[in-house]
Amino acid sequence: MSEKKTTSNSGRRKQERGLAPNGNSQVATGGELHQIAGGEHAAITTNQGVALSDNQNSLRANPRGPTLLEDFILREKITHFDHERIPERIVHARATGAHGFFELTASLKQYTTARILTEVGEKTPVFTRISTVAGGAGSVDTPRDIRGFAVKFYTKEGNWDLVGNNIPVFFIQDAIKFPDLIHAVKMEPDRGFPQSATAHDTFWDFISLTPESMHTVMWIMSDRTIPRSLRMIEGFGVHSFRLINDAGESTFVKFHWRPKLGLQSTIWDEAVKISGADQDFHRRDMFEAIAAGVFPEWEFAVQLFTQAEADRFPFDHLDATKLIPEELVPLKVIGRMVLDRWPNNFFAETEQVAYCPSHVVPGIDFSNDPLLQGRLLSYHDTQLSRLGSPNFHQIPINAPKCPFSNQQRDGHMQMEQPAGRVAYEPNSLSENSPRETASGFHSAAVTETGEKSRIRAASFADHYSQARQFYLSQTAYEQAHIASALVFELSKVEHLHVREAMVGHLRHIEEDLANRVAAGLGFDKMPDAPVPAAPVQELEPSPALQVIGKMKDTVMGRVIGILIADGSDGTVIEKIKKAAIDAGASVKIVAPKVGGAKLADGSMLAADGQLAGTPSVLFDAVAVILSDGGAKALSMESAAIDFVRDAFGHLKAIAVDKGGRAFLKIANVGQDAGVVDANENDVFIAAAKTRQWDREKSIRTLA
Ligand code: HDE
């Protein structure tokens, strides 16, 4: 074949369009810098540093002939691409992460030597990852699920990972049950569905046979598992940990995160619709908040207690299915965390970050909670398989920001090149190799006695008392949501005996709850309750366990959507917008066309969202500002009808002008105290701070 360069037909066509045959605006050769639109660019190279002259065409025997195996450029690019994915986390695969800082506001010097808890005013960098549990990495943000709340503190004394959840209790008491729990909740192995849902047979079958799960079941059926925003969830370390002071004394501690914006949840029907409208609802919300400089913030608080106090609790604090009510051991706020920087690269940071509960610093230690003890093994093991090397700590997101050094060597993807002949300790050959330090990590000196056995402590036997306490602590609205969630979930369970077994457990929690769920499931007789392992205790209700009770009287962090159309009154829109922004909310304009609407005064107002793609589920409250003509035009738009119906159905405040009110009528939407005059901005903002809870009974049958 001739060596002569040929130009293909497509090459000729590109040349006619002013492009080089390879598609670039100018040909780059031999690694020199070349010009394409946008300025000077370094030469694109292979991973060996060889500059590419053509990144658009593979090497072919002739322009229409077979591709040659010789093409190392093609092979390198495709092979790297083939290996781009690493195993996703078996749980907590779907997540949002951000950088920020932790600042201590009150010292715990009396209790611990951990510098991060003693140096008031010191700022420690953090990377926080908030996740769902059951779904895969590409699943939606808003299923009913627990949220993982993992914080890596890059302290001056090493990395401390506090790997918690947005719920203070867990399903099981012993780590050995975790693989079964997760296999039960994940998609069923024969059919590969459902993705990211507890509403299926295998989950409820396992739960119905695991009475210790009942407390967590109450939490997951509550609105805590359908949060409005990741900025509006609490976080809990769940287990008891120990703090150790300079005298070697230890104090038990539970860790808490409390959101500055208060707690807020969605309505179940709303969460379902958000999943369709914006799969990335929570990730986008966090991204937008950080981009706007409205940084997500949490208070950090501790509950501190001694062994003697723990001995008086009506439960065992080593049992992760139990919480310590705030009324029993008050929370002491000691710091705050602010997330102020979005990662540069999702994979490098949010995906590769490796949390391990075993990462603690001197002054912090573990309790004997058998669930925690199992986790101390699991996470490191998981990282070895996911990140593929014992050197995962060298990945920038995982590397401590303080000096670290030891005699561990080699392994896959070793980035360090330690010099010298000494790779052991102790040694006498090196003058500067790392040595032990007296102030280094010490475990709490605890005496352990007793017989080795596979026996659960009798103090772990009470499975219903705190479940009952949680249910009775809720407002009537929240109780109705719990009952309705149970009816929804169990209605998806095909096996009647599983539904019955669950209702049997509910009878120990609260007979009225069991009755409501049984009625919702259409039972004609009440199933028997199982024999409890320990009698149910009557515990004082704890209002701190509510969501509604912990909503803040604010619209900060909330979004108000204003639906407009051609002919809308710009003055009214502007006033609502100003009132909302002054109160700390953000505002989005929704119109039938993204280019905007022509207002009554003839000016154009651009939209932030096009009506069909921006339903009201994306907002906390809405305003409907329409001319009579606009209302009429929108009466033909199902997206507009759904907009107002859903806003009403999801108990949101709605501000309307004359046209807006007419449109509600067309859409057959009722009027109540939450539907306010668009000119009464204060009334609207006040209504937007909450949900119209009383409306719910008039529009939805709850269990
Ligand atoms: Fe986890 N858990 N877990 N877990 N967990 C993982 O580790 C495990 C438990 C939690 O954003 C895995 O790196 C066992 C309780 C969070 O990267 C894995 C047991 C709590 C995250 C693992 C538990 C959690 C994980 C999967 C029972 C709240 C995400 C990927 C003993 C206190 C961290 C990974 C992130 C992730 C094991 C129970 C929270 C498989 C064996 C209780 C927030 O190692």
Side-chain angles (χ1 to χ4, degrees):
M1 199 187 123
S2 146
E3 289 283 292
K4 210 176 127 212
K5 272 198 172 175
T6 54
T7 303
S8 65
N9 285 341
S10 83
R12 266 193 294 278
R13 277 198 301 276
K14 282 173 184 162
Q15 279 176 333
E16 282 155 21
R17 298 199 320 258
L19 294 172
N22 62 3
N24 290 341
S25 53
Q26 277 185 30
V27 190
T29 51
E32 69 199 38
L33 292 178
H34 58 279
Q35 294 284 329
I36 46 177
E40 279 215 330
H41 297 259
I44 186 168
T45 73
T46 66
N47 288 334
Q48 302 305 315
V50 176
L52 308 189
S53 64
D54 186 336
N55 192 28
Q56 323 298 322
N57 299 292
S58 50
L59 183 65
R60 283 174 285 244
N62 64 65
R64 300 185 61 241
T67 302
L68 299 179
L69 188 61
E70 176 193 328
D71 190 350
F72 66 95
I73 294 172
L74 170 72
R75 277 188 284 119
E76 184 199 79
K77 187 173 178 181
I78 297 285
T79 309
H80 193 280
F81 171 75
D82 293 343
H83 294 261
E84 269 179 13
R85 288 289 164 272
I86 60 173
E88 66 176 37
R89 291 161 173 80
I90 167 71
V91 283
H92 297 266
R94 171 79 189 171
T96 296
H99 294 271
F101 64 86
F102 170 74
E103 183 182 9
L104 194 72
T105 51
S107 173
L108 291 183
K109 209 175 190 95
Q110 191 187 338
Y111 304 100
T112 179
T113 57
R115 191 189 162 97
I116 183 169
L117 301 178
T118 60
E119 302 308 302
V120 171
E122 195 162 284
K123 286 189 178 169
T124 303
V126 298
F127 187 78
T128 296
R129 186 176 180 275
I130 304 183
S131 45
T132 57
V133 180
S139 57
V140 299
D141 272 349
T142 47
R144 176 179 294 284
D145 201 354
I146 294 177
R147 298 304 184 279
F149 197 118
V151 181
K152 191 180 281 294
F153 302 81
Y154 302 91
T155 88
K156 291 184 172 158
E157 298 172 310
N159 285 355
W160 173 32
D161 293 351
L162 184 56
V163 196
N165 279 340
N166 76 327
I167 282 179
V169 286
F170 203 66
F171 294 99
I172 47 173
Q173 297 172 322
D174 191 312
I176 201 167
K177 294 167 78 78
F178 190 67
D180 297 294
L181 166 71
I182 298 307
H183 288 171
V185 71
K186 282 264 180 183
M187 55 193 190
E188 299 186 10
D190 59 344
R191 55 208 67 188
F193 61 83
Q195 174 70 262
S196 199
T198 46
H200 59 117
D201 283 63
T202 57
F203 176 74
W204 286 105
D205 182 29
F206 177 83
I207 292 295
S208 69
L209 298 169
T210 312
E212 72 207 55
S213 295
M214 291 310 142
H215 187 195
T216 299
V217 163
M218 286 296 102
W219 282 81
I220 63 167
M221 291 297 105
S222 82
D223 295 345
R224 294 253 178 177
T225 43
I226 44 171
R228 154 68 179 87
S229 160
L230 302 180
R231 301 179 286 149
M232 299 171 195
I233 60 172
E234 293 183 333
F236 303 89
V238 175
H239 316 278
S240 297
F241 287 83
R242 286 175 187 273
L243 297 180
I244 305 177
N245 66 12
D246 48 12
E249 295 157 348
S250 96
T251 307
F252 288 114
V253 60
K254 292 250 191 196
F255 296 108
H256 296 248
W257 295 106
R258 300 201 304 198
K260 189 178 168 193
L261 297 177
L263 281 183
Q264 193 183 319
S265 290
T266 55
I267 302 282
W268 171 242
D269 180 70
E270 185 187 13
V272 169
K273 288 174 175 162
I274 292 172
S275 293
D278 185 359
Q279 300 217 350
D280 310 298
F281 185 64
H282 284 155
R283 193 179 286 177
R284 192 187 310 276
D285 169 82
M286 184 86 101
F287 176 86
E288 287 181 354
I290 292 176
V294 187
F295 300 134
E297 184 170 337
W298 285 264
E299 279 179 346
F300 190 53
V302 289
Q303 284 177 300
L304 298 165
F305 55 99
T306 61
Q307 181 67 60
E309 285 165 326
D311 291 342
R312 291 195 294 273
F313 295 161
F315 50 82
D316 193 332
H317 76 104
L318 297 180
D319 169 1
T321 70
K322 306 295 185 299
L323 56 79
I324 306 180
E326 290 180 35
E327 293 78 3
L328 189 58
V329 179
L331 266 63
K332 180 178 165 60
V333 177
I334 59 159
R336 67 184 189 121
M337 173 173 72
V338 178
L339 300 182
D340 59 2
R341 185 161 62 86
W342 191 257
N344 287 330
N345 183 279
F346 186 87
F347 178 82
E349 300 171 89
T350 308
E351 191 60 20
Q352 291 200 115
V353 65
Y355 297 94
C356 300
S358 51
H359 294 169
V360 290
V361 291
I364 302 178
D365 201 1
F366 315 112
S367 71
N368 285 351
D369 175 340
L371 201 66
L372 173 60
Q373 295 283 325
R375 295 180 73 207
L376 301 182
L377 151 84
S378 174
Y379 291 63
H380 190 263
D381 188 35
T382 277
Q383 310 315 344
L384 294 180
S385 119
R386 229 167 51 76
L387 298 169
S389 157
N391 295 315
F392 68 84
H393 64 283
Q394 295 180 16
I395 297 172
I397 193 70
N398 294 323
K401 295 192 193 297
C402 62
F404 60 101
S405 175
N406 55 43
Q407 307 293 9
Q408 293 168 25
R409 291 291 185 270
D410 309 344
H412 277 293
M413 296 293 167
Q414 176 59 260
M415 300 291 151
E416 287 169 3
Q417 300 168 29
R421 65 197 294 193
V422 168
Y424 54 90
E425 199 274 337
N427 73 74
S428 63
L429 303 190
S430 161
E431 284 187 351
N432 56 5
S433 67
R435 299 270 168 95
E436 299 157 353
T437 316
S439 61
F441 184 82
H442 289 279
S443 296
V446 182
T447 309
E448 298 291 355
T449 55
E451 248 174 45
K452 184 165 78 179
S453 64
R454 290 186 183 274
I455 290 183
R456 200 85 56 97
S459 54
F460 279 41
D462 177 359
H463 303 317
Y464 300 106
S465 304
Q466 284 206 348
R468 175 174 173 77
Q469 178 186 38
F470 178 80
Y471 180 72
L472 294 178
S473 300
Q474 306 300 308
T475 61
Y477 308 115
E478 288 163 297
Q479 288 181 345
H481 289 175
I482 292 172
S484 301
L486 280 159
V487 171
F488 174 90
E489 297 262 325
L490 295 175
S491 296
K492 297 271 183 187
V493 171
E494 293 162 14
H495 292 83
L496 178 60
H497 75 272
V498 174
R499 288 184 227 146
E500 287 175 342
M502 271 316 300
V503 174
H505 286 295
L506 298 181
R507 297 188 65 181
H508 288 307
I509 297 173
E510 167 59 36
E511 194 68 41
D512 176 54
L513 171 65
N515 282 329
R516 291 162 83 163
V517 176
L521 292 171
F523 283 3
D524 50 15
K525 74 173 187 9
M526 202 56 165
D528 291 335
V531 178
V536 184
Q537 307 173 63
E538 207 56 57
L539 304 172
E540 276 293 301
S542 166
L545 304 180
Q546 297 172 8
V547 172
I548 292 184
K550 281 188 161 173
M551 276 181 82
K552 284 215 172 145
D553 189 26
T554 177
V555 288
M556 294 244 310
R558 274 58 166 182
V559 189
I560 289 173
I562 307 183
L563 176 61
I564 64 166
D566 284 347
S568 292
D569 186 336
T571 329
V572 181
I573 297 169
E574 205 37 55
K575 270 199 193 150
I576 294 183
K577 200 171 163 182
K578 186 174 178 314
I581 290 171
D582 286 352
S586 56
V587 172
K588 288 198 174 159
I589 303 286
V590 182
K593 292 180 188 163
V594 74
K598 196 173 201 175
L599 302 181
D601 64 4
S603 64
M604 283 297 287
L605 180 58
D608 301 297
Q610 191 250 342
L611 177 57
T614 320
S616 64
V617 292
L618 304 179
F619 306 116
D620 296 281
V622 300
V624 186
I625 310 302
L626 299 171
S627 64
D628 290 344
K632 206 160 165 213
L634 289 189
S635 67
M636 306 296 288
E637 294 290 351
S638 66
I641 305 280
D642 289 346
F643 190 96
V644 290
R645 281 202 180 160
D646 276 345
F648 194 80
H650 301 145
L651 318 183
K652 292 171 184 172
I654 306 178
V656 281
D657 64 354
K658 187 166 147 281
R661 207 173 280 277
F663 185 65
L664 292 195
K665 220 171 211 159
I666 294 169
N668 210 10
V669 169
Q671 316 255 327
D672 64 13
V675 179
V676 306
D677 192 295
N679 289 310
E680 294 182 9
N681 292 324
D682 293 349
V683 183
F684 176 52
I685 298 299
K689 289 177 181 171
T690 179
R691 301 258 178 160
Q692 314 304 307
W693 301 112
D694 280 338
R695 184 188 292 162
E696 192 156 35
K697 56 183 179 303
S698 67
I699 51 161
R700 190 171 293 126
T701 307
L702 291 170

